[in-house]
Amino acid sequence: MQPTIYDVAKQAGVSIATVSKVVNNKGRIGEQTKKKVIAIMKELNYQPNAFAAALTGKSTQTIGVIIPDLANPYFAELAKCLEDEAHKMGFSLMICSTDNNSEKEETYINLFIRKKVDGCILASTLSNPQLVTELAIQYMPVVLAGQAILEKDLPAVSVHDQQGGYIATTHLTALGHQRIAIIMEPKAFSSLERLKGYKKALKEAGLIYDENLVMTADATLTGGADAFRLFVDMEQPPTAIFACNDVLAIGVCQEAHRASIHIPDELSIIGFDNTILASVTSPPLTTVAQPLREMSRQMITTLLTSSNEKRGNQQFVFEPQLVNRQSTAKLN
């Protein structure tokens, strides 16, 4: 079998990152370590680009997918859409969930290399984007899902997050709300973009941006509930909350019910993603939808139709849409 970067790292007693730096002649590496890695590469007859060439001759009909959390309904639905689209083209998926752990990201990329998958879709938040994409691009085509800003040299498929944040906040200002809070995921590029849209909508409505109305929370029901309690304890609590994903929004809804705060009469709530949970909550959640089916089709098509070199840094950005349900209402 053709040796991989994993085999070189193991025999040399160094990390995969170190081997990658030697291969790409990047980063600081001790001369002794560099010579050792090069010697092992020669001994194993390791060719960094050999697998890419081999893809043209033999396919495993398998695509690797890395996501941060399968328990999050958005990523579960994304995985389902990707599986459907891949199946239409005769491919199967190998899905790995990282829990936003950089070591897991590296482990799974390495697994894909050893399993010789035909390509990789990275939907993870990428704790270490440079390392992960460097390792992947040496061996297989790669498409990023929603991470265009992190790695300019790879194609990416995403929703227009800033526009989504603008749509959500504009919906609330049109209903007469002036104290509008936002709950974001920490360090998430998508949330930062949605915050920009939130600020733009406030400015257009003549409202002042108040940092006290901005909270960060993990994308869990508990995260949404914790943020809600902090807002409620304010001297002037918000009358509306924009949560940057549906899970956070539903956490807010649940905690509001426990606090006997009626939605939407006393508090309007809007989410983002339009997951299946949004339509079954009580009341059904107003949210911003991502066209997951179309985005998934673009990811699979882009991955399978050309090489990394030909695809370059293509960016496919899809427009979000407001789904107006019953968790938002005019301010009384």
Side-chain angles (χ1 to χ4, degrees), residues 51 55 58-63 90-92 115-119:
F51 180 68
L55 279 178
K58 185 176 181 181
S59 169
T60 62
Q61 300 299 113
T62 306
I63 297 170
F91 284 74
S92 299
K115 293 293 184 180
K116 297 188 176 181
V117 301
D118 294 329

PDB file of all heavy atoms in Angstrom, residues 51 55 58-63 90-92 115-119:
ATOM      1  N   PHE A  51      -1.425  10.138  -4.059  1.00  0.00           N
ATOM      2  CA  PHE A  51      -2.823   9.746  -3.919  1.00  0.00           C
ATOM      3  C   PHE A  51      -3.726  10.568  -4.826  1.00  0.00           C
ATOM      4  O   PHE A  51      -4.678  10.068  -5.420  1.00  0.00           O
ATOM      5  CB  PHE A  51      -3.286   9.887  -2.473  1.00  0.00           C
ATOM      6  CG  PHE A  51      -4.714   9.484  -2.278  1.00  0.00           C
ATOM      7  CD1 PHE A  51      -5.098   8.161  -2.415  1.00  0.00           C
ATOM      8  CD2 PHE A  51      -5.679  10.428  -2.004  1.00  0.00           C
ATOM      9  CE1 PHE A  51      -6.409   7.788  -2.263  1.00  0.00           C
ATOM     10  CE2 PHE A  51      -7.004  10.068  -1.853  1.00  0.00           C
ATOM     11  CZ  PHE A  51      -7.376   8.740  -1.977  1.00  0.00           C
ATOM     12  N   LEU A  55      -6.337   9.004  -7.729  1.00  0.00           N
ATOM     13  CA  LEU A  55      -7.786   9.195  -7.776  1.00  0.00           C
ATOM     14  C   LEU A  55      -8.324   9.103  -9.198  1.00  0.00           C
ATOM     15  O   LEU A  55      -9.466   8.712  -9.422  1.00  0.00           O
ATOM     16  CB  LEU A  55      -8.167  10.563  -7.187  1.00  0.00           C
ATOM     17  CG  LEU A  55      -8.232  10.645  -5.664  1.00  0.00           C
ATOM     18  CD1 LEU A  55      -8.581  12.070  -5.251  1.00  0.00           C
ATOM     19  CD2 LEU A  55      -9.230   9.676  -5.096  1.00  0.00           C
ATOM     20  N   LYS A  58      -8.654   5.102  -9.808  1.00  0.00           N
ATOM     21  CA  LYS A  58      -9.513   4.225  -9.030  1.00  0.00           C
ATOM     22  C   LYS A  58     -10.248   5.023  -7.963  1.00  0.00           C
ATOM     23  O   LYS A  58      -9.649   5.790  -7.225  1.00  0.00           O
ATOM     24  CB  LYS A  58      -8.674   3.119  -8.391  1.00  0.00           C
ATOM     25  CG  LYS A  58      -9.513   2.078  -7.657  1.00  0.00           C
ATOM     26  CD  LYS A  58      -8.650   0.956  -7.122  1.00  0.00           C
ATOM     27  CE  LYS A  58      -9.489  -0.089  -6.410  1.00  0.00           C
ATOM     28  NZ  LYS A  58      -8.662  -1.187  -5.856  1.00  0.00           N
ATOM     29  N   SER A  59     -11.541   4.813  -7.876  1.00  0.00           N
ATOM     30  CA  SER A  59     -12.362   5.536  -6.914  1.00  0.00           C
ATOM     31  C   SER A  59     -12.933   4.576  -5.882  1.00  0.00           C
ATOM     32  O   SER A  59     -13.264   3.427  -6.193  1.00  0.00           O
ATOM     33  CB  SER A  59     -13.509   6.253  -7.641  1.00  0.00           C
ATOM     34  OG  SER A  59     -14.454   6.736  -6.724  1.00  0.00           O
ATOM     35  N   THR A  60     -13.039   5.035  -4.661  1.00  0.00           N
ATOM     36  CA  THR A  60     -13.672   4.237  -3.601  1.00  0.00           C
ATOM     37  C   THR A  60     -15.162   4.542  -3.494  1.00  0.00           C
ATOM     38  O   THR A  60     -15.859   3.933  -2.690  1.00  0.00           O
ATOM     39  CB  THR A  60     -13.021   4.519  -2.234  1.00  0.00           C
ATOM     40  OG1 THR A  60     -13.203   5.905  -1.903  1.00  0.00           O
ATOM     41  CG2 THR A  60     -11.545   4.185  -2.248  1.00  0.00           C
ATOM     42  N   GLN A  61     -15.640   5.520  -4.289  1.00  0.00           N
ATOM     43  CA  GLN A  61     -17.054   5.937  -4.278  1.00  0.00           C
ATOM     44  C   GLN A  61     -17.502   6.349  -2.875  1.00  0.00           C
ATOM     45  O   GLN A  61     -18.639   6.120  -2.488  1.00  0.00           O
ATOM     46  CB  GLN A  61     -17.949   4.805  -4.796  1.00  0.00           C
ATOM     47  CG  GLN A  61     -17.643   4.362  -6.219  1.00  0.00           C
ATOM     48  CD  GLN A  61     -17.829   5.479  -7.233  1.00  0.00           C
ATOM     49  OE1 GLN A  61     -16.859   5.945  -7.833  1.00  0.00           O
ATOM     50  NE2 GLN A  61     -19.054   5.916  -7.413  1.00  0.00           N
ATOM     51  N   THR A  62     -16.571   6.964  -2.134  1.00  0.00           N
ATOM     52  CA  THR A  62     -16.854   7.389  -0.764  1.00  0.00           C
ATOM     53  C   THR A  62     -16.430   8.832  -0.553  1.00  0.00           C
ATOM     54  O   THR A  62     -15.365   9.243  -1.011  1.00  0.00           O
ATOM     55  CB  THR A  62     -16.102   6.496   0.253  1.00  0.00           C
ATOM     56  OG1 THR A  62     -16.412   5.128  -0.001  1.00  0.00           O
ATOM     57  CG2 THR A  62     -16.505   6.854   1.681  1.00  0.00           C
ATOM     58  N   ILE A  63     -17.252   9.595   0.138  1.00  0.00           N
ATOM     59  CA  ILE A  63     -16.946  10.980   0.483  1.00  0.00           C
ATOM     60  C   ILE A  63     -16.906  11.115   2.002  1.00  0.00           C
ATOM     61  O   ILE A  63     -17.809  10.647   2.692  1.00  0.00           O
ATOM     62  CB  ILE A  63     -18.006  11.947  -0.094  1.00  0.00           C
ATOM     63  CG1 ILE A  63     -17.998  11.897  -1.621  1.00  0.00           C
ATOM     64  CG2 ILE A  63     -17.767  13.372   0.402  1.00  0.00           C
ATOM     65  CD1 ILE A  63     -19.170  12.639  -2.245  1.00  0.00           C
ATOM     66  N   GLY A  90     -24.071   8.015  -6.901  1.00  0.00           N
ATOM     67  CA  GLY A  90     -23.436   6.718  -6.685  1.00  0.00           C
ATOM     68  C   GLY A  90     -22.356   6.702  -5.620  1.00  0.00           C
ATOM     69  O   GLY A  90     -21.501   5.805  -5.618  1.00  0.00           O
ATOM     70  N   PHE A  91     -22.392   7.677  -4.699  1.00  0.00           N
ATOM     71  CA  PHE A  91     -21.387   7.751  -3.648  1.00  0.00           C
ATOM     72  C   PHE A  91     -22.007   7.533  -2.271  1.00  0.00           C
ATOM     73  O   PHE A  91     -23.186   7.833  -2.045  1.00  0.00           O
ATOM     74  CB  PHE A  91     -20.693   9.123  -3.661  1.00  0.00           C
ATOM     75  CG  PHE A  91     -19.682   9.280  -4.764  1.00  0.00           C
ATOM     76  CD1 PHE A  91     -20.085   9.459  -6.085  1.00  0.00           C
ATOM     77  CD2 PHE A  91     -18.317   9.230  -4.485  1.00  0.00           C
ATOM     78  CE1 PHE A  91     -19.164   9.590  -7.110  1.00  0.00           C
ATOM     79  CE2 PHE A  91     -17.382   9.363  -5.497  1.00  0.00           C
ATOM     80  CZ  PHE A  91     -17.801   9.546  -6.810  1.00  0.00           C
ATOM     81  N   SER A  92     -21.190   7.023  -1.361  1.00  0.00           N
ATOM     82  CA  SER A  92     -21.587   6.870   0.036  1.00  0.00           C
ATOM     83  C   SER A  92     -20.824   7.877   0.889  1.00  0.00           C
ATOM     84  O   SER A  92     -19.775   8.380   0.474  1.00  0.00           O
ATOM     85  CB  SER A  92     -21.279   5.454   0.538  1.00  0.00           C
ATOM     86  OG  SER A  92     -21.989   4.490  -0.211  1.00  0.00           O
ATOM     87  N   LYS A 115      -8.377   5.667   4.436  1.00  0.00           N
ATOM     88  CA  LYS A 115      -9.498   4.974   3.802  1.00  0.00           C
ATOM     89  C   LYS A 115      -9.625   5.330   2.319  1.00  0.00           C
ATOM     90  O   LYS A 115     -10.442   4.764   1.603  1.00  0.00           O
ATOM     91  CB  LYS A 115     -10.806   5.320   4.513  1.00  0.00           C
ATOM     92  CG  LYS A 115     -10.902   4.799   5.941  1.00  0.00           C
ATOM     93  CD  LYS A 115     -10.967   3.288   5.980  1.00  0.00           C
ATOM     94  CE  LYS A 115     -11.154   2.783   7.392  1.00  0.00           C
ATOM     95  NZ  LYS A 115     -11.221   1.292   7.446  1.00  0.00           N
ATOM     96  N   LYS A 116      -8.820   6.297   1.880  1.00  0.00           N
ATOM     97  CA  LYS A 116      -8.773   6.715   0.477  1.00  0.00           C
ATOM     98  C   LYS A 116     -10.146   7.176  -0.035  1.00  0.00           C
ATOM     99  O   LYS A 116     -10.611   6.750  -1.102  1.00  0.00           O
ATOM    100  CB  LYS A 116      -8.213   5.597  -0.409  1.00  0.00           C
ATOM    101  CG  LYS A 116      -6.769   5.251  -0.066  1.00  0.00           C
ATOM    102  CD  LYS A 116      -6.160   4.295  -1.064  1.00  0.00           C
ATOM    103  CE  LYS A 116      -4.685   4.051  -0.750  1.00  0.00           C
ATOM    104  NZ  LYS A 116      -4.040   3.145  -1.712  1.00  0.00           N
ATOM    105  N   VAL A 117     -10.786   8.035   0.742  1.00  0.00           N
ATOM    106  CA  VAL A 117     -12.046   8.603   0.267  1.00  0.00           C
ATOM    107  C   VAL A 117     -11.766   9.481  -0.943  1.00  0.00           C
ATOM    108  O   VAL A 117     -10.652   9.971  -1.140  1.00  0.00           O
ATOM    109  CB  VAL A 117     -12.752   9.421   1.377  1.00  0.00           C
ATOM    110  CG1 VAL A 117     -13.034   8.557   2.589  1.00  0.00           C
ATOM    111  CG2 VAL A 117     -11.936  10.645   1.767  1.00  0.00           C
ATOM    112  N   ASP A 118     -12.777   9.700  -1.769  1.00  0.00           N
ATOM    113  CA  ASP A 118     -12.595  10.445  -3.016  1.00  0.00           C
ATOM    114  C   ASP A 118     -12.640  11.952  -2.834  1.00  0.00           C
ATOM    115  O   ASP A 118     -12.333  12.702  -3.766  1.00  0.00           O
ATOM    116  CB  ASP A 118     -13.668  10.030  -4.026  1.00  0.00           C
ATOM    117  CG  ASP A 118     -13.507   8.581  -4.450  1.00  0.00           C
ATOM    118  OD1 ASP A 118     -12.359   8.108  -4.480  1.00  0.00           O
ATOM    119  OD2 ASP A 118     -14.515   7.926  -4.736  1.00  0.00           O
ATOM    120  N   GLY A 119     -13.039  12.403  -1.669  1.00  0.00           N
ATOM    121  CA  GLY A 119     -13.100  13.836  -1.404  1.00  0.00           C
ATOM    122  C   GLY A 119     -13.615  14.071   0.001  1.00  0.00           C
ATOM    123  O   GLY A 119     -14.068  13.142   0.675  1.00  0.00           O
TER     124      GLY A 119
END
